[in-house]
Amino acid sequence: MPSRRYARGWGALSLAVGAVLVSAAAQSPDRDTEHEQPAAASHDVTAVVAVDGCAAGGGLCSDPRHAVVLGGDRVLTGRPFTLGPKATGPVELALRTPGVLADVTVTDQRGRRIAGSQSADHTRWTSAAPLPAGARYAARLVVDGTGAGGAHRARLDFRTAPMPAGERLTVTFGPGDGGTYGVGRPVTAELSRPVPEDDPDARRAVERALDVRSEPHVEGAWHWVDPTTLHYRPRTYWPAHATVRVHSGLDGAHIGGGLYGGPSRPLTFTTGAKIEAVTDVSAHRMAVFRDGELLRILPVTTGKAGYRTRGGVKVVLGKEPLVRMRGDTIGIKRGSTDFYDLKVRWATRVTWSGEYLHAAPWSLDAQGSEDVSHGCTGMSTEDAAWLFRTVREGDLVRVVNGYGKPMTPFDNGFGDWNLSWPEWLRGSALATDATGSAVGPAAGGLSPTL
């Protein structure tokens, strides 16, 4: 006849597939465990902790043969076990017998703590996100209230199932690593495979894995531009002189179906001073600020009727000391009175379709009084050279009191800041009010306008 301890322990185990048995007595790992005898009846209280990694698969799926048995002053330890291939959801440790999990600490093979939370009744711990495939973990448990008196400790070692063969989802971050950029430069993430809008679970898995941290800290969120592109921006601009670190936790993460994440390079960059050039179209002037202090006011000319300069917030995309600008690249036929073919100095680019802030010595008489350009913002050669030296990629260019169409968010540069914060959050799969709506892919490499 089986002992009373055997009947109680394995009877409780039948409540949950893949349970792990931990006694309410302290461990003694230095004892010989191979021929251990059952503990005395006074200490014969067993706790059962179920291990579940199948939140996405519809139920428990651990292998019931894998168990750790701890009894009395002596320890009988089963081998560390591997969760099954269907265990792709967050890992859950659930106490199935009376008592509470007074403390749960789960660490990976590098000793890094895994984020998770306890249930209100302290009988269940769930990881904040699914754990990457093919990795080892250790759970240290403090079980209290089992009837043996006091709190008692146990350790559970397990491994997640290895990744199946197949292509991996990786990500390339922007801007360039190690550089200094303006406070308006969003973080970009280009995925190696599309994640469609109609798969919100996969999009949430991707977002959870893409970590952005800044010093000083700011509130921010990802926004899906299209199935392969995400942008990250704060609620307002980045702080000046901040450090931004971007890391992908996709490696080993289950995205959906048979797709898993692969390794990606992290990114670190800094921001410079907050430089903002504000063009008042109606006043025909540009005011340039550094950290809120006015540096200079420049007389300018902007787009004339039929070629109005876009309104709203733009971000400096790059700088070119000399650019050839031709009218036929924007649909103006040769021979037309509007056609031009010029070499332009000190050009600061703000759209992919070719809008620049640049030197326009041919329009000096109009600068400060009249709009005569084909969409760019023209100024004297001296002022354009000064602006060229003053701004960097990611600095802000804001056009106010104009007549042109508003700058679009994503298809012609970084117009991200033209979306309100609630509008931005609607592009996140993690936001409570997210709709998952996507915007068309960005267009690049178009020729300049003048």
Side-chain angles (χ1 to χ4, degrees):
M1 177 179 294
S3 68
R4 177 161 53 89
R5 178 187 175 192
Y6 180 92
R8 180 187 305 146
W10 289 99
L13 180 60
S14 66
L15 296 177
V17 180
V20 178
L21 307 184
V22 292
S23 79
Q27 297 184 37
S28 301
D30 56 335
R31 300 290 300 270
D32 180 6
T33 65
E34 187 174 356
H35 303 290
E36 202 60 70
Q37 300 298 318
S42 60
H43 297 285
D44 188 19
V45 178
T46 302
V48 178
V49 177
V51 183
D52 178 7
C54 293
L60 295 168
C61 59
S62 310
D63 186 337
R65 293 172 297 175
H66 295 305
V68 178
V69 182
L70 307 168
D73 295 330
R74 303 177 178 130
V75 182
L76 178 61
T77 304
R79 295 179 181 178
F81 65 90
T82 300
L83 294 172
K86 294 182 180 180
T88 57
V91 168
E92 180 181 88
L93 306 176
L95 186 63
R96 297 298 189 185
T97 47
V100 295
L101 295 174
D103 184 61
V104 179
T105 301
V106 180
T107 53
D108 65 11
Q109 57 205 40
R110 297 183 182 180
R112 298 172 297 189
R113 188 164 183 167
I114 303 302
S117 59
Q118 285 259 38
S119 61
D121 59 2
H122 286 265
T123 62
R124 189 183 306 269
W125 179 92
T126 306
S127 62
L131 302 184
R136 299 190 305 272
Y137 299 91
R140 293 169 177 83
L141 313 174
V142 178
V143 183
D144 199 1
T146 60
H152 304 279
R153 300 176 183 275
R155 172 173 168 148
L156 162 64
D157 295 297
F158 64 95
R159 182 189 293 267
T160 49
M163 284 185 292
E167 187 177 352
R168 303 285 179 253
L169 177 69
T170 59
V171 59
T172 301
F173 294 118
D177 186 48
T180 298
Y181 300 89
V183 300
R185 179 55 161 94
V187 176
T188 57
E190 296 292 336
L191 305 180
S192 63
R193 294 188 51 156
V195 179
E197 181 183 356
D198 60 4
D199 192 350
D201 289 339
R203 286 195 167 192
R204 282 190 286 269
V206 170
E207 277 193 61
R208 289 192 188 99
L210 304 183
D211 183 54
V212 181
R213 302 187 183 190
S214 68
E215 300 173 7
H217 172 75
V218 293
E219 178 186 5
W222 288 102
H223 185 107
W224 287 84
V225 176
D226 59 48
T228 60
T229 307
L230 296 89
H231 286 191
Y232 183 100
R233 52 156 269 205
R235 179 190 283 266
T236 55
Y237 307 127
W238 295 106
H241 311 294
T243 299
V244 181
R245 294 181 174 87
V246 189
H247 169 78
S248 170
L250 285 172
D251 195 13
H254 181 248
I255 308 302
L259 181 62
Y260 284 79
S264 302
R265 288 182 176 273
L267 164 69
T268 299
F269 68 93
T270 57
T271 60
K274 179 184 178 182
I275 302 292
E276 186 174 23
V278 182
T279 299
D280 186 330
V281 173
S282 62
H284 307 288
R285 67 178 191 175
M286 172 188 290
V288 182
F289 301 86
R290 176 188 288 129
D291 292 332
E293 177 184 355
L294 179 63
L295 298 180
R296 188 177 293 193
I297 295 178
L298 315 176
V300 298
T301 182
T302 61
K304 61 184 178 180
Y307 304 93
R308 295 297 188 186
T309 303
R310 298 168 184 83
V313 182
K314 306 161 193 175
V315 172
V316 172
L317 302 175
K319 301 187 296 182
E320 301 168 58
L322 184 65
V323 178
R324 183 184 178 186
M325 298 186 179
R326 302 194 326 269
D328 53 2
T329 64
I330 62 169
I332 302 176
K333 294 181 179 181
R334 291 180 179 271
S336 165
T337 56
D338 273 334
F339 182 79
Y340 55 86
D341 187 348
L342 296 169
K343 292 182 179 180
V344 177
R345 301 286 306 275
W346 310 121
T348 297
R349 189 169 195 152
V350 292
T351 74
W352 296 125
S353 61
E355 184 181 322
Y356 286 85
L357 320 176
H358 63 77
W362 54 85
S363 64
L364 282 176
D365 290 346
Q367 292 165 20
S369 60
E370 188 179 1
D371 294 323
V372 297
S373 84
H374 292 85
C376 290
T377 299
M379 62 198 75
S380 71
T381 300
E382 178 186 354
D383 286 345
W386 174 85
L387 184 68
F388 189 93
R389 295 190 300 267
T390 300
V391 300
R392 56 163 51 96
E393 181 182 340
D395 282 339
L396 300 162
V397 175
R398 186 155 54 94
V399 177
V400 300
N401 299 327
Y403 318 103
K405 295 179 180 180
M407 176 69 175
T408 51
F410 304 116
D411 63 351
N412 199 14
F414 295 128
D416 307 52
W417 306 102
N418 296 291
L419 294 180
S420 68
W421 187 240
E423 289 173 328
W424 185 265
L425 290 180
R426 283 196 285 273
S428 167
L430 297 178
T432 55
D433 61 343
T435 64
S437 56
V439 183
L446 299 182
S447 299
T449 57
L450 183 64

